[in-house]
Amino acid sequence: MAAHFDRRLRKAAVTTTVAAVAVAALSASQAPDVTADGNGRQTTADNVPTSDAPAEESATGNSPYYTDLPPLNSPNPSPTTGTPSSRGTSEAGIPATVLDAYKKAESELRRAKPGCNLPWQLLAAIGKVESGQARGGRVDASGTTIGRIIGPQLDGNGFALIKDTDNGVYDGNSSYDNAVGPMQFIPSTWSWAGRDGNGDGKEDPNNVYDAALAAGHYLCRFDWDLSDQADLNRAILSYNNSQDYLNTVLSWLEHYRKGSHEIPDGTGSLPVGRSDDTSAGASPSPGRTGASTPPRAPGTTPGPGQSPSKPPSSGKPTDPGSPGTGPSTPPKDPTPPTETPTPPPTPTDTVHHLENAGSTGLTAIAGDTFAKKISARAETKAGEAVGKVRIRFTVLGDTDAAFTGGDKVAAVTTNASGVAVAPALVAGEQTGAFTVRATVIGRTVPGLDYKATVTERVADVLTSTGETELTCTPGGEFADPVAVKATLKGAVADKVAVTATLIKSEDDPTENDKGPYFKDADGKAVRTLTGRQTDAEGLLELPKLYADDAEGTYVLRLTTPGGGRLDITLKVAKPAEPADPSTEPSTAPEA
């Protein structure tokens, strides 16, 4: 499938002189330390992005984006239709479903990563430059785009070189990758950043809810705080590594922060300027008039309103008498075609396999950090180390374990020894085994799996914080609850599971079938309690205890993983009867 953006874009006619001046003014006024050249293109004194992420590790693969800038709020607007002031209301409008997706993503990120401080307006700004708010809101009721939005193939011909990583599943291209969907994720990034934002059980880059939530998590990785300008810049540059891209997104972010509103789906205005347009700029360059059609990607067919590079031949001779017509055969190109040289192999191209760099025995107690970090070594077929290769580590399986910062995915570059060391792995509260998989970013080689296990929290000592011997009358209630404290090597042991069992004796841990008991939710007698945990201070108070009619002395045993154990004595006996005064020996003096 030919890689292309939907070319069916519409644009209000503009006066080119006014447009150029407006864009130049906007560039100077809305982006810090930014000026504009004669064509309205943004420039900076230092145009080198601060992010060092390679194209294949960015969200979009540094694909083309829309360069239109927000309108100016001019006090003396030109009456020409389509000037910034007349477009202001529509430019601030965001299609209803798209806007809802941005706001839901912000809400979820506020819960999952509150320290990131992600504003939905940032997602709107990126959505504007990546897809024109999903082509003006052309999405169905579930948020899926009507028709796929696919960027140019990243074949190194004017774009980054990213060979196919998804076998064409997302972009329809089994040779090279293309950016896909409302937020223009490349397949290799979507494979780990993808999220299910609308709860349908799928992670679809063509769905605006899924894409917006994925973009939010992508921007919030590395513990960035987006309320900090430096972190905000880093996050945006990691999405598309271009200073012009950063300035454009920041301009739209400021625009949406000043005000926006909901508009019906399918009625949004569509952008025009594209960063891969040879005439560049956010608006038509001087000399171009009327509706401009975005440039087409190499190898694609022209869209509506575009002329091919050579006039097509109908195969029929033209009328020699018709004015302005000539021979049907176009003139020969005097320049012989040249072959594009094959680029030299990158370090990634030379990777044959991954080896475990010494990560074994990956076990941690729930809530603790794994003592060992996972590391992988990239090697050639001959076993030589390969440096400067990006390795992706992904946590897989039914687990709440994650890398430091809460992310399930981490990308690390191999060092000169070919080794990439993943961030520290932190165990969650869910116990059991799971897998961490290492893969090479940008190359299809077998992944390397690491098995990890999370075990229960433990305590080695249980002590009573109340009475160690409790009494009750037959058929009554014990007045005092059982309360204990758990410690591990003298330190508080929090969230430790405690099992309480009424046993037959200290020598027979079998559950007793008579004597004291607890009650379940239905009021039935139970003599074993599980699922109870100590609090943050290592303390636990058990539910009320009751007694049946059987008198005697009983034992309540409490145990924890790690060897903690405590026996509490329970006595069930009738109260002592008051003494009969007539039977008491007389203490009166003899007469």
Side-chain angles (χ1 to χ4, degrees):
M1 175 179 177
H4 66 281
F5 270 94
D6 188 312
R7 302 302 185 189
R8 290 171 290 184
L9 303 178
R10 49 192 172 85
K11 169 196 170 192
V14 297
T15 302
T16 56
T17 303
V18 173
V21 172
V23 171
L26 183 64
S27 298
S29 65
Q30 292 191 346
D33 302 322
V34 179
T35 59
D37 63 16
N39 292 326
R41 288 186 290 261
Q42 296 175 346
T43 60
T44 61
D46 181 5
N47 201 37
V48 179
T50 59
S51 170
D52 62 354
E56 63 269 20
E57 187 54 26
S58 71
T60 68
N62 298 339
S63 292
Y65 57 92
Y66 290 113
T67 56
D68 294 26
L69 290 170
L72 289 169
N73 296 318
S74 172
N76 297 302
S78 165
T80 306
T81 301
T83 61
S85 61
S86 66
R87 293 189 297 126
T89 301
S90 62
E91 289 291 348
I94 301 176
T97 300
V98 179
L99 179 60
D100 184 55
Y102 297 150
K103 290 186 175 181
K104 283 188 175 180
E106 179 200 54
S107 177
E108 171 60 20
L109 267 297
R110 295 282 182 193
R111 182 196 64 79
K113 298 182 179 180
C116 179
N117 295 307
L118 171 81
W120 67 262
Q121 292 91 341
L122 176 58
L123 298 176
I126 291 176
K128 180 70 174 180
V129 303
E130 293 296 349
S131 68
Q133 309 300 19
R135 295 181 299 193
R138 291 181 61 224
V139 297
D140 63 20
S142 67
T144 301
T145 59
I146 299 172
R148 291 195 296 178
I149 305 173
I150 300 179
Q153 70 175 12
L154 301 175
D155 57 3
N157 184 18
F159 308 107
L161 174 60
I162 303 179
K163 295 180 180 179
D164 175 62
T165 60
D166 67 328
N167 199 29
V169 170
Y170 293 120
D171 54 17
N173 188 341
S174 58
S175 298
Y176 299 95
D177 270 352
N178 306 62
V180 179
M183 304 303 275
Q184 288 292 280
F185 278 97
I186 54 174
S188 59
T189 301
W190 182 261
S191 67
W192 60 266
R195 295 292 194 280
D196 177 13
N198 63 352
D200 63 357
K202 298 184 295 183
E203 297 173 355
D204 182 4
N206 300 295
N207 182 278
V208 69
Y209 287 99
D210 294 1
L213 183 58
H217 277 280
Y218 183 91
L219 294 165
C220 286
R221 71 201 195 284
F222 302 140
D223 289 334
W224 281 329
D225 177 0
L226 302 187
S227 65
D228 177 81
Q229 189 64 48
D231 278 358
L232 175 64
N233 291 353
R234 293 185 189 100
I236 296 172
L237 283 168
S238 76
Y239 209 91
N240 191 314
N241 195 356
S242 160
Q243 191 71 30
D244 288 339
Y245 181 87
L246 171 65
N247 295 333
T248 305
V249 170
L250 289 177
S251 294
W252 282 107
L253 172 59
E254 182 65 18
H255 180 70
Y256 288 131
R257 277 176 166 165
K258 289 179 178 178
S260 61
H261 59 276
E262 178 184 300
I263 60 175
D265 289 345
T267 64
S269 60
L270 299 177
V272 176
R274 279 277 300 280
S275 60
D276 58 341
D277 189 346
T278 54
S279 56
S283 61
S285 59
R288 296 172 63 186
T289 60
S292 171
T293 304
R296 54 193 173 91
T300 63
T301 57
Q306 275 190 292
S307 299
S309 58
K310 294 183 181 181
S313 172
S314 64
K316 298 179 181 179
T318 58
D319 183 358
S322 301
T325 61
S328 59
T329 303
K332 294 182 179 180
D333 188 345
T335 305
T338 58
E339 293 185 2
T340 303
T342 302
T346 65
T348 301
D349 294 331
T350 67
V351 177
H352 178 266
H353 61 272
L354 292 175
E355 289 288 342
N356 188 330
S359 304
T360 58
L362 298 171
T363 302
I365 296 172
D368 287 356
T369 299
F370 282 76
K372 296 180 180 179
K373 291 184 178 181
I374 296 175
S375 57
R377 173 182 159 97
E379 296 184 354
T380 65
K381 188 174 183 178
E384 298 175 348
V386 184
K388 297 182 179 180
V389 173
R390 301 284 282 180
I391 305 297
R392 179 182 299 119
F393 297 93
T394 307
V395 178
L396 304 173
D398 184 15
T399 181
D400 55 355
F403 295 112
T404 302
D407 287 317
K408 295 279 189 178
V409 177
V412 183
T413 302
T414 58
N415 58 22
S417 298
V419 176
V421 181
L425 188 63
V426 181
E429 295 303 321
Q430 186 172 342
T431 60
F434 63 95
T435 300
V436 177
R437 178 167 296 163
T439 55
V440 180
I441 296 174
R443 184 164 175 79
T444 304
V445 297
L448 181 61
D449 286 350
Y450 301 79
K451 300 299 181 183
T453 304
V454 178
T455 60
E456 291 182 290
R457 291 173 181 259
V458 299
D460 53 13
V461 175
L462 276 176
T463 56
S464 175
T465 60
E467 297 295 330
T468 57
E469 183 175 293
L470 305 177
T471 60
C472 179
T473 58
E477 302 176 0
F478 286 85
D480 298 318
V482 174
V484 297
K485 182 175 183 177
T487 56
L488 178 64
K489 297 180 180 178
V492 167
D494 63 325
K495 297 182 180 179
V496 173
V498 177
T499 299
T501 306
L502 288 147
I503 61 177
K504 291 184 176 180
S505 69
E506 291 184 357
D507 297 326
D508 184 358
T510 306
E511 181 183 280
N512 211 331
D513 56 0
K514 62 181 179 179
Y517 61 90
F518 300 102
K519 287 184 179 180
D520 64 13
D522 297 326
K524 295 180 179 180
V526 293
R527 290 186 167 86
T528 297
L529 284 183
T530 59
R532 307 285 168 159
Q533 286 187 337
T534 59
D535 62 15
E537 302 300 323
L539 301 174
L540 173 64
E541 183 176 285
L542 296 181
K544 184 184 290 294
L545 274 164
Y546 302 85
D548 60 16
D549 295 332
E551 295 184 69
T553 300
Y554 301 91
V555 177
L556 173 65
R557 175 164 291 174
L558 295 90
T559 58
T560 66
R565 180 178 130 176
L566 175 67
D567 287 346
I568 304 289
T569 301
L570 306 174
K571 287 187 177 182
V572 180
K574 293 179 181 179
E577 295 183 3
D580 185 351
S582 63
T583 63
E584 291 291 326
S586 176
T587 58
E590 294 183 0

